[in-house]
Amino acid sequence: SSGINAEWPLRPGKKGIAFPTCICVNEIVCHFSPLRSDPIVTIKEGDLVKIELGVHIDGYAGVVAHSLVVGATAENPATGGLADAVLAAHHCSEAALRLIKAGNTNKQITETIQKITEAYNSSPLEGMLSYEIKRYQTEGATDKQIVLNPSEAQKKEKSTDCDSALIPLL
């Protein structure tokens, strides 16, 4: 094989690439990594931009993200539904950080997120998944996950009352 994966595979004792740096605009939730053949995305004032950065340290992948409204300042703050959604996401991530601990369940976290988003006249994304991440594994390689606002298919597929794992920070 050739390319980056051949040079830096993710396996014990070797360094690897955990996650691409992504810039997601407006309705693109996460992991936007366009191909060269995709149309160019132009970011403009008032857009909601999410910046994701991943690292790989000693076999563990970690991802951090930050959201901002382009052009918003203390003198010219975001307003309306966009501001409400950003504040709801912030308060949901703060609540989730406090709730993710032994003994709590996915259901407790998702119910809290539902209450917070309703207070901001927003709603969590349907079917958004977060996973436990283990050494030399990335998402999906575990049975521990949090399902935010599960779709009907997800409700039928598995219980949404599993142990707490990770939550996406918007």
Side-chain angles (χ1 to χ4, degrees), residues 25-59:
V25 182
N26 296 324
E27 73 279 357
I28 306 298
V29 178
C30 56
H31 312 331
F32 182 65
S33 189
L35 301 172
R36 287 188 177 136
S37 59
D38 288 341
I40 293 174
V41 176
T42 303
I43 298 171
K44 60 188 181 311
E45 189 161 328
D47 282 345
L48 175 62
V49 175
K50 288 83 61 186
I51 302 168
E52 299 172 300
L53 172 67
V55 297
H56 172 246
I57 301 170
D58 194 27

Side-chain angles (χ1 to χ4, degrees), residues 11-149:
R11 65 177 187 259
K14 299 289 181 181
K15 296 185 186 280
I17 295 178
F19 201 86
T21 297
C22 300
I23 298 175
C24 307
V25 182
N26 296 324
E27 73 279 357
I28 306 298
V29 178
C30 56
H31 312 331
F32 182 65
S33 189
L35 301 172
R36 287 188 177 136
S37 59
D38 288 341
I40 293 174
V41 176
T42 303
I43 298 171
K44 60 188 181 311
E45 189 161 328
D47 282 345
L48 175 62
V49 175
K50 288 83 61 186
I51 302 168
E52 299 172 300
L53 172 67
V55 297
H56 172 246
I57 301 170
D58 194 27
Y60 293 96
V63 180
V64 65
H66 185 75
S67 298
L68 59 97
V69 177
V70 176
T73 64
E75 297 78 30
N76 182 32
T79 59
L82 179 58
D84 289 344
V86 170
L87 282 172
H90 170 75
H91 290 289
C92 286
S93 66
E94 290 294 315
L97 285 170
R98 288 165 176 76
L99 289 170
I100 296 175
K101 59 184 175 183
N104 283 354
T105 64
N106 177 11
K107 188 174 182 180
Q108 289 171 294
I109 297 167
T110 55
E111 286 174 350
T112 301
I113 287 171
Q114 189 66 41
K115 288 176 186 174
I116 293 169
T117 55
E118 285 172 1
Y120 283 95
N121 199 28
S122 298
S123 62
L125 293 170
E126 183 179 73
M128 186 71 182
L129 295 175
S130 288
Y131 302 90
E132 175 184 46
I133 297 177
K134 296 180 179 178
R135 194 170 191 195
Y136 303 115
Q137 292 181 337
T138 57
E139 63 185 39
T142 180
D143 59 350
K144 290 187 177 183
Q145 60 182 243
I146 288 178
V147 183
L148 293 179
N149 196 12

